[in-house]
Amino acid sequence: MSAPLIEARHATKILGGVVPVTLVQDIDLTIMPREFVAITGPSGSGKSSLLYLLGLLDLPSSGEVLIDGRSTTGMAEDERAEVRLARLGFVFQFHFLLPEFSITENVALPMRALGKLSPPAITARAEELLASLGLGDHRHKMPDQLSGGQRQRVAVARALANDPPVILADEPTGSLDSISTAQVFGILKDLVALGEKTVVAVTHDLNLAAQMHRRINIVDGRLANDTKLVTSGAHV
């Protein structure tokens, strides 16, 4: 039986202040290899806050998050950063591409930060990823020369740069038209089915969520439902 890639154990996130605000409360869940997971819930329910905890972009106020069975509680920030770079890829609603760099250079950034490949190998991999997503002919272009859907595909390529087993996506189709939504969602679906990745995506689109393997529903920061929708390719 495969080991979990990510575990949350009683994960809670509270924002301090005169009146503390609880974003996520006492979440227990496990993410397994090759799952395609939707995180849904009302606006302001804590969906993105949960994703940021799972992706080590934020730290729980109490409880813990484990990556590959290792507790990240107490890790130094540089160690957490290395785990994020090596094991997790991120796609956000807005692509966050750096406008002063070409799309190839944008895809190369995580590889440069991790420092495992030579500069020629980094460029070759970045171009290979762009070509695999139908952007090979655009590799020298700047982000503002691309459509919104193309920029989001570049963001997916960047998330894949270090070949992480998990892709975490926060409303990855939220700013796209219907055609680009279908393209980006199809890419994420293929990453699970063909690329043997795990994808966890926050989405408000219940039609998309219904096509995924599993739906985690968050209400008022709490886990309301965790439902297996279809048979996944997860290794058991």
Side-chain angles (χ1 to χ4, degrees):
M1 183 173 181
S2 296
L5 294 174
I6 304 177
E7 295 175 80
R9 296 180 180 174
H10 304 294
T12 296
K13 181 64 181 182
I14 300 173
L15 290 182
V18 177
V19 180
V21 177
T22 300
L23 302 178
V24 174
Q25 188 164 353
D26 199 32
I27 297 288
D28 283 305
L29 63 84
T30 298
I31 305 296
M32 299 298 292
R34 293 187 64 191
E35 285 195 297
F36 194 17
V37 182
I39 300 178
T40 63
S43 179
S45 61
K47 303 184 297 296
S48 294
S49 296
L50 173 59
L51 192 77
Y52 292 173
L53 291 180
L54 298 179
L56 309 186
L57 295 172
D58 201 0
L59 298 174
S61 304
S62 61
E64 62 179 343
V65 173
L66 293 81
I67 305 293
D68 299 322
R70 294 174 56 207
S71 176
T72 60
T73 299
M75 276 187 182
E77 177 50 38
D78 59 347
E79 187 177 4
R80 276 196 302 273
E82 185 170 359
V83 171
R84 280 195 302 269
L85 280 168
R87 305 299 292 166
L88 308 169
F90 299 91
V91 181
F92 300 97
Q93 179 174 354
F94 302 103
H95 51 78
F96 294 128
L97 301 179
L98 297 183
E100 65 270 28
F101 292 147
S102 73
I103 62 172
T104 297
E105 291 168 331
N106 269 278
V107 174
L109 289 173
M111 291 182 277
R112 296 192 191 284
L114 189 60
K116 301 293 187 183
L117 298 176
S118 68
I122 287 173
T123 299
R125 175 159 174 77
E127 292 181 347
E128 177 186 357
L129 284 167
L130 289 169
S132 73
L133 296 176
L135 295 168
D137 292 340
H138 302 281
R139 63 188 182 278
H140 299 305
K141 290 184 178 179
M142 306 302 283
D144 64 3
Q145 295 177 289
L146 303 181
S147 69
Q150 288 172 326
R151 288 193 291 266
Q152 196 65 316
R153 278 187 275 158
V154 175
V156 172
R158 181 181 58 192
L160 292 169
N162 288 325
D163 197 24
V166 183
I167 302 298
L168 301 170
D170 191 5
E171 297 282 9
T173 63
S175 62
L176 303 179
D177 60 33
S178 58
I179 294 175
S180 296
T181 290
Q183 290 175 338
V184 171
F185 182 79
I187 290 167
L188 296 177
K189 187 175 182 179
D190 285 346
L191 288 177
V192 179
L194 306 176
E196 298 192 353
K197 301 291 185 185
T198 290
V199 174
V200 182
V202 168
T203 183
H204 67 277
D205 190 328
L206 297 184
N207 289 325
L208 294 183
Q211 301 175 55
M212 298 167 76
H213 298 157
R214 177 180 169 198
R215 178 178 168 191
I216 294 169
N217 195 45
I218 304 296
V219 177
D220 295 331
R222 291 183 175 273
L223 180 59
N225 303 100
D226 186 349
T227 306
K228 188 172 184 179
L229 301 177
V230 298
T231 302
S232 75
H235 298 301
V236 294

